[in-house]
Amino acid sequence: AADGVVGLAGPYDVSATGGLAGNLFGVPEPEAPQLWAQGNPLLLAGERPDMPFLLLQGDADRLVGEEFARGFEAALVEGGHPVRVEVLAGATHSGILRAEVSGDVVAGWVLETLAG
């Protein structure tokens, strides 16, 4: 089982992507609403409240805006999770995946939150 979650510029409410998350499910939401609900992180925010989350978002991300991280943060807090959001200056949607952009933040969080 996982000890924590690191989210990198995620569309945490797939229903709010304007259909762009359809490629994740292989079918549009109106054709499979139950499938989309089962795979929507926002709707699962109350599960495993002991699980800590780190959500990273780039302020130069033009695909997935900061509102996804903030909305998920609110749902996680309501679900009882420890959660931290970091908005990284200059990070784009794909750039946030690069170790030189987010590696130090992730490593620091893992050491602080999960180690020991």
Side-chain angles (χ1 to χ4, degrees), residues 110-116:
V110 167
L111 289 171
E112 173 187 312
T113 306
L114 302 179

Side-chain angles (χ1 to χ4, degrees), residues 24-60:
L24 298 173
F25 296 97
V27 61
E29 185 175 16
E31 294 177 22
Q34 187 174 12
L35 175 66
W36 277 60
Q38 289 172 341
N40 191 340
L42 189 72
L43 301 179
L44 302 171
E47 302 292 322
R48 295 225 21 222
D50 59 316
M51 180 81 65
F53 280 75
L54 171 64
L55 306 177
L56 298 183
Q57 181 67 43
D59 71 355

Side-chain angles (χ1 to χ4, degrees), residues 21-107:
N23 61 340
L24 298 173
F25 296 97
V27 61
E29 185 175 16
E31 294 177 22
Q34 187 174 12
L35 175 66
W36 277 60
Q38 289 172 341
N40 191 340
L42 189 72
L43 301 179
L44 302 171
E47 302 292 322
R48 295 225 21 222
D50 59 316
M51 180 81 65
F53 280 75
L54 171 64
L55 306 177
L56 298 183
Q57 181 67 43
D59 71 355
D61 189 332
R62 301 294 176 245
L63 295 175
V64 176
E66 185 179 338
E67 66 273 9
F68 283 95
R70 295 301 178 184
F72 196 37
E73 173 189 30
L76 289 167
V77 168
E78 185 176 318
H81 293 272
V83 59
R84 181 169 137 200
V85 175
E86 291 281 338
V87 179
L88 304 181
T92 63
H93 187 68
S94 59
I96 205 160
L97 302 175
R98 300 175 58 88
E100 63 270 17
V101 173
S102 59
D104 288 344
V105 176
V106 172

